[in-house]
């Protein structure tokens, strides 16, 4: 890999967004709104999609990555294409010296991520991974108030509960290639767990397909609970569901020696009515990630640009993407084998370049044994 490109100071950072789908549109709109960025290209395999999103955000449409990389004004690239393309696009961009903000997950296969890390070597430091929830203002404040090397406002941390429920299940075609609930959905919560309590030592998962015929048909879960134990002994419970009648359910509770820190759901209105008849907020929870995490996506992109410009390390970086995927693999194994799985077991398997678990196993077997 060549040297990292120096980012020219005194002009906006030249950016390209690959993928003009759901998340590509979010990043393109965030880029267009940030004064520190010049959004130069939106690229998509479907030309009409690239043209629509480029036009909406004052950029040009590209049909290929080569076209984007031929433009010397492009300093950095956002990869928002489907997961199987991520590692290839990361490597092609990084070898030109440019930085990449890549959507989660890095890939579905841990051995493939480790092989890419070996090829990238130190240039892996040019990659940031899109775990946007770290940048949510409420979650970031909760993290800050937990403290760091010095205990924060609630003293020693003992337990964390992360609740993450989507409003409705995705289509069966999406589930069929998503690599299981753990790699697709819980991966955000695995990263948040590491962000809150540090490295994880072991994983225990249970779940089932309780309501979604699509999940059942492809051998995936629609309901899961995962317990993590951190290297320092903190317990983290992650509660996931692919549906929630009351809206997008995104909460975190951190329980410590001296108290509890909590982030509750965002509502579409913060105004509450109190009368003699009762008390009523009369507002629903945010519908889904596009609105709930709008501020987080903007802050994430700003953090990427600032670090790229100032030559600072990216956080979350490539290794954070790798570690979150390792937890997803451990959770899947725990579910299948009905036991607690240590993260070391998963690491060892990946290091020897074991055949892809996905290739070997085919669709995820469905197990409903609860053992948490
Ligand atoms: N961080 C988050 O909150 C978040 C939310 C949604 C999706 N994601 C991730 O973002 C990625 C994309 O998801 P999405 O929901 O936006 O998908 P999507 O299907 O809505 O959009 C993907 C786009 O990529 C284009 N595309 C496909 N193959 C391509 C290729 N080889 N080259 C160029 N363009 C190509 C498609 O035409 C489509 O427009 C996935 O990895 C997903 O896990 C992250």
């Amino acid at each position: 890999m060549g040297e990292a490109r120096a980012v020219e100071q005194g002009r906006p950072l030249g950016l390209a967004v690959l993928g003009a789908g759901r998340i590509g549109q979010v990043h393109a709109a965030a880029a267009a709104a940030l004064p520190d960025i010049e959004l130069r290209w939106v690229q998509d395999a479907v030309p009409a999609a690239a043209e629509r999103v480029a036009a909406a955000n004052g950029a040009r449409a590209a049909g290929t990555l080569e076209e984007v990389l031929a433009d010397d004004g492009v300093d950095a690239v956002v990869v928002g294409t489907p997961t199987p393309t991520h590692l290839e696009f990361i490597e092609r961009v990084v070898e030109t010296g440019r930085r990449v903000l890549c959507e989660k997950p890095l890939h579905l296969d841990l051995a493939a991520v480790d092989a890419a890390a070996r090829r990238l070597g130190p240039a892996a430091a040019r990659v940031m991974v899109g775990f946007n929830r770290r940048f949510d203002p409420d979650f970031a404040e909760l993290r800050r108030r937990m403290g760091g090397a010095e205990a924060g406002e609630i003293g020693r941390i003992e337990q964390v509960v992360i609740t993450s429920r989507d409003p409705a299940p995705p289509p069966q075609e999406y589930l069929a290639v998503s690599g299981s609930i753990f790699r697709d959905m819980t991966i955000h919560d695995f990263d948040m767990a590491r962000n809150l309590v540090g490295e994880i030592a072991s994983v225990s998962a249970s779940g089932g397909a309780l309501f979604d015929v699509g999940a059942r048909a492809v051998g995936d879960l629609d309901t899961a609970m995962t317990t993590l134990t951190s290297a320092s002994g903190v317990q983290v419970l992650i509660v996931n569901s692919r549906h929630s009648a009351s809206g997008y359910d995104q909460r975190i509770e951190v329980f410590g020696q001296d108290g509890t820190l909590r982030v509750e759901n965002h509502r579409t209105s913060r105004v509450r009515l109190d009368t003699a008849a009762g008390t009523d907020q009369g507002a629903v929870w945010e519908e889904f990630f596009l609105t709930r995490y709008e501020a987080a996506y903007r802050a994430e992109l700003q953090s990427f640009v600032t670090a790229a410009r100032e030559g600072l390390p990216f956080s979350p970086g490539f290794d954070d993407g790798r570690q979150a995927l390792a937890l997803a693999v451990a959770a899947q194994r725990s579910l299948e084998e009905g036991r607690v799985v240590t993260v070391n077991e998963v690491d060892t398997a990946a290091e020897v370049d074991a055949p892809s678990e996905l290739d070997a196993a085919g669709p995820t077997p469905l197990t409903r044994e609860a053992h948490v």
Side-chain angles (χ1 to χ4, degrees), residues 123-332:
R126 292 175 210 158
V127 182
M128 177 165 159
V129 178
F131 288 124
N132 56 290
R133 295 181 195 178
R134 288 193 188 207
F135 298 91
D136 173 69
D138 288 349
F139 293 159
E141 179 184 342
L142 172 137
R143 177 69 196 84
R144 207 166 40 248
R145 293 173 69 174
M146 285 170 68
E150 302 284 311
E153 293 177 43
I154 58 171
R156 191 188 63 235
I157 306 303
E158 296 169 1
Q159 292 176 316
V160 175
V161 180
I162 301 173
T163 303
S164 177
R165 298 189 179 103
D166 285 348
Q172 184 177 323
E173 311 82 70
Y174 176 93
L175 291 172
V177 294
S178 67
S180 88
I181 195 168
F182 299 120
R183 287 173 169 90
D184 180 58
M185 179 176 176
T186 325
I187 195 119
H188 277 293
D189 310 309
F190 291 136
D191 178 68
M192 182 56 74
R194 292 184 63 249
N195 178 39
L196 297 178
V197 305
E199 288 312 329
I200 303 299
S202 65
V203 179
S204 175
S206 65
L210 304 188
F211 55 86
D212 182 29
V213 289
R216 184 177 293 269
V218 301
D220 199 357
L221 312 174
D222 55 34
T223 303
M225 287 198 181
T226 311
T227 306
L228 313 177
T229 303
S230 82
S232 61
V234 182
Q235 298 278 292
V236 182
L237 173 64
I238 299 172
V239 180
N240 292 130
S241 174
R242 287 286 198 184
H243 77 174
S244 166
S246 40
Y248 194 33
D249 191 7
Q250 298 286 293
R251 290 173 283 148
I252 298 181
E253 175 185 297
V254 182
F255 174 77
Q257 197 174 14
D258 302 326
T260 305
L261 284 163
R262 257 193 209 97
V263 174
E264 296 290 353
N265 277 309
H266 285 199
R267 296 166 189 242
T268 50
S269 163
R270 279 158 199 75
V271 178
R272 196 179 72 183
L273 172 70
D274 297 323
T275 66
T279 179
D280 184 10
Q281 185 149 354
V284 293
W285 298 344
E286 291 286 2
E287 190 188 351
F288 207 8
F289 63 92
L290 295 176
T291 49
R292 169 64 184 83
Y293 289 120
E294 194 182 356
Y297 293 120
R298 253 199 325 271
E300 172 185 71
L301 194 57
Q302 183 62 65
S303 163
F304 174 67
V305 170
T306 303
R309 195 179 277 300
E310 295 175 12
L312 300 170
F314 289 129
S315 181
F318 190 93
D319 192 56
D320 293 305
R322 192 262 177 214
Q323 298 304 347
L325 181 62
L327 295 179
V329 172
Q332 188 68 43

